[in-house]
Amino acid sequence: MAAIAPGGRIGILGGGQLGRMLAMAAAELGHKCHIYCPDDEVPAADVAAALTRAPYDDADALARFADSVDVVTYEFENVPAETARILSEHAPVRPGAAALATAQDRLTEKNFLKRNGIATAPFADVADTDDLAAALAAIGAPAVLKTRRMGYDGKGQAKILAPKAAAAAWDAIGRLPAILEGFVDFEREISVVVARGLDGEVAAYDPVENIHTNHILDRTFAPAALTPALADEARAIATKIVSELDYAGVMGVEMFVGRDGRLLVNEIAPRVHNSGHWTMDACAVSQFEQHIRAICGWPLGSPARHSDAVMTNLIGADAGKWSAVAAEPGAKLHLYGKAEARAGRKMGHVNRLYPLGKRPPVTPR
Ligand code: AMP
């Protein structure tokens, strides 16, 4: 497949910070980005060549947008299947439909992983209260009930501490099609950001450890403190996932490290990932550049880490700390240009760099 040469036109669905950082990386390779986003505020459009502001179900606007670019990609996994289908009649959509379908539905995702021999928490399909009772009997409590679709940052999830709490959990998730997952008593949460090129070449960044606060990523420690064997296993799992999906682009693979040292995959995100933001300053080729390379049919860059790093998200009022962060040696500030610092809103992040082997230990917040 011919590579998209510098000067290429990249369409990005979604105009948030991930689209913004993709557009900046694309510009560094000589490409021009066209953002498609229905929102009033579009941080990605500040750094892009063109913006279409239209709903995701506007077939005419989607067709015009896709006709204006060489390839379409996206910054969020909940792109409606019909939107992707319309776009794909006018331009290649990368990552493709199989990745979207797999990542959009937790049951499809878990079954895909199981089919490929990749360990996950025990899970069961829950369509009604009878299923839920049967699933709880089989899996046991504590467990987590998660809607199959549209869940993120802990939304659409309810923990069940004891079987008598099942009805309340079912109500809490809106009685939507769901899966029940066994609650993993994990030692830590890690992720692997992995890229696959159009020719099947794979490059995985080092596994990193993630600390969540209120279900939102708070900090990423790069690298995770794993044995070399476990780090290799995490990379091998991520590699298997992108290869089986015949994937093009960057993917985030979230995993639990169990207290028994086993790796269990929690979920996959078919896009650049918040837990990969550290690569912007600790690797020669960031996850954003890597994604653009992959979807344009370029050789992938090296995922090697030249520094250790701790990435801290600036959420809501944290963004007010910009001047202290800007004054800090060894800290690189990234702000997303969002006007209003609402609680829980990702406003920016800071990467703090350390020599290899010298990152501070993981601490709770
Ligand atoms: P998710 O939306 O599936 O990524 O879940 C968000 C967060 O909830 C994860 O990062 C974990 O901290 C926690 N979590 C999700 N599923 C489980 C599970 N089966 N066992 C323990 N913790 C979980």
Side-chain angles (χ1 to χ4, degrees):
M1 222 168 302
I4 298 172
R9 297 156 308 161
I10 318 276
I12 302 176
L13 279 191
Q17 65 270 14
L18 299 180
R20 176 182 172 100
M21 291 183 275
L22 281 169
M24 290 194 280
E28 287 183 342
L29 299 180
H31 296 313
K32 296 189 192 313
C33 288
H34 184 162
I35 309 295
Y36 189 109
C37 181
D39 300 343
D40 289 335
E41 189 182 55
V42 186
D46 294 347
V47 299
L51 167 66
T52 294
R53 189 179 274 116
Y56 291 123
D57 60 0
D58 183 335
D60 292 337
L62 288 168
R64 273 196 305 277
F65 163 73
D67 278 337
S68 78
V69 297
D70 299 308
V71 61
V72 173
T73 190
Y74 41 87
E75 61 147 27
F76 63 107
E77 56 271 47
N78 289 316
V79 175
E82 178 61 7
T83 301
R85 191 194 61 75
I86 295 169
L87 292 168
S88 66
E89 286 179 355
H90 300 266
V93 176
R94 296 179 185 143
L100 273 178
T102 305
Q104 281 179 355
D105 182 325
R106 290 187 191 274
L107 182 63
T108 311
E109 178 181 74
K110 287 280 191 305
N111 280 328
F112 161 78
L113 295 167
K114 191 173 178 179
R115 236 182 8 257
N116 285 288
I118 296 169
T120 65
F123 67 94
D125 183 9
V126 173
D128 55 34
T129 47
D130 287 349
D131 285 352
L132 179 53
L136 264 173
I139 290 172
V144 196
L145 188 62
K146 300 182 177 180
T147 56
R148 283 175 59 173
R149 305 183 75 89
M150 300 301 271
Y152 67 98
D153 288 347
K155 295 185 175 64
Q157 292 193 19
K159 194 167 168 183
I160 301 179
L161 292 173
K164 66 177 184 329
W170 179 239
D171 287 342
I173 65 154
R175 305 178 180 204
L176 293 167
I179 61 169
L180 186 75
E181 261 181 45
F183 194 77
V184 180
D185 179 25
F186 55 79
E187 180 192 277
R188 57 183 107 213
E189 289 188 82
I190 65 165
S191 57
V192 175
V193 170
V194 61
R196 185 167 179 275
L198 288 187
D199 61 357
E201 177 192 7
V202 175
Y205 292 95
D206 285 328
V208 295
E209 177 164 352
N210 299 312
I211 303 291
H212 296 88
T213 305
N214 300 327
H215 288 283
I216 299 175
L217 182 64
D218 175 17
R219 280 163 300 147
T220 295
F221 291 77
L226 303 176
T227 63
L230 206 59
D232 283 347
E233 191 186 330
R235 271 189 290 261
I237 289 170
T239 299
K240 171 135 185 132
I241 292 171
V242 288
S243 302
E244 289 297 331
L245 288 171
D246 195 20
Y247 194 80
V250 162
M251 171 184 281
V253 182
E254 298 179 22
M255 306 177 197
F256 301 122
V257 182
R259 299 215 176 264
D260 55 2
R262 278 213 319 154
L263 293 177
L264 304 176
V265 172
N266 174 32
E267 65 178 7
I268 65 175
R271 53 171 169 78
V272 286
H273 198 253
N274 195 167
S275 74
H277 290 2
W278 64 277
T279 63
M280 296 173 88
D281 301 303
C283 302
V285 174
S286 74
Q287 64 162 346
F288 299 100
E289 176 174 338
Q290 197 75 297
H291 185 76
I292 299 297
R293 284 172 175 246
I295 63 169
C296 288
W298 288 29
L300 298 182
S302 164
R305 177 172 50 80
H306 58 64
S307 301
D308 282 9
V310 179
M311 188 285 311
T312 303
N313 270 337
L314 300 174
I315 295 175
D318 292 347
K321 299 177 193 157
W322 61 268
S323 95
V325 174
E328 215 183 292
K332 168 71 180 169
L333 178 64
H334 299 265
L335 294 172
Y336 306 151
K338 297 181 183 177
E340 211 189 321
R342 287 195 297 274
R345 194 170 197 214
K346 291 176 179 170
M347 301 297 293
H349 68 270
V350 52
N351 285 330
R352 294 186 171 89
L353 299 182
Y354 306 91
L356 290 175
K358 298 274 194 239
R359 74 151 171 77
V362 176
T363 45
R365 190 159 164 108

